[in-house]
Amino acid sequence: MIDVIGEAAGAVWQYLNDNGPTSVSKISTETGINKNDIQRAIGWLSKEDKLVFEMKGRTETLALK
């Protein structure tokens, strides 16, 4: 399971690096990673202090620091 989370974290980081601030739903749709693994990846990247969370209207977006 840790390998799946690590790979998802890498994919999320790469997606954000390539595309800039994005919602969790869009990341999940664009990468094909299920939302549970996306949430785990967000936890991983947050623990490493690599993410910024912002509210745009009613939508929360993620971006790299």
Side-chain angles (χ1 to χ4, degrees):
M1 182 61 130
I2 195 77
D3 292 338
V4 172
I5 298 168
E7 288 174 18
V12 169
W13 187 94
Q14 190 63 55
Y15 185 88
L16 292 171
N17 189 55
D18 293 344
N19 298 287
T22 310
S23 70
V24 172
S25 295
K26 186 168 183 180
I27 295 170
S28 180
T29 300
E30 297 281 322
T31 62
I33 300 169
N34 72 56
K35 288 189 180 184
N36 287 336
D37 289 339
I38 293 284
Q39 293 298 332
R40 292 177 182 113
I42 290 169
W44 179 307
L45 293 168
S46 294
K47 179 71 173 156
E48 293 182 343
D49 196 32
K50 297 190 185 245
L51 296 178
V52 174
F53 299 86
E54 295 181 17
M55 291 300 292
K56 292 190 178 181
R58 293 178 29 197
T59 304
E60 182 178 63
T61 62
L62 304 175
L64 296 177
K65 282 192 172 182

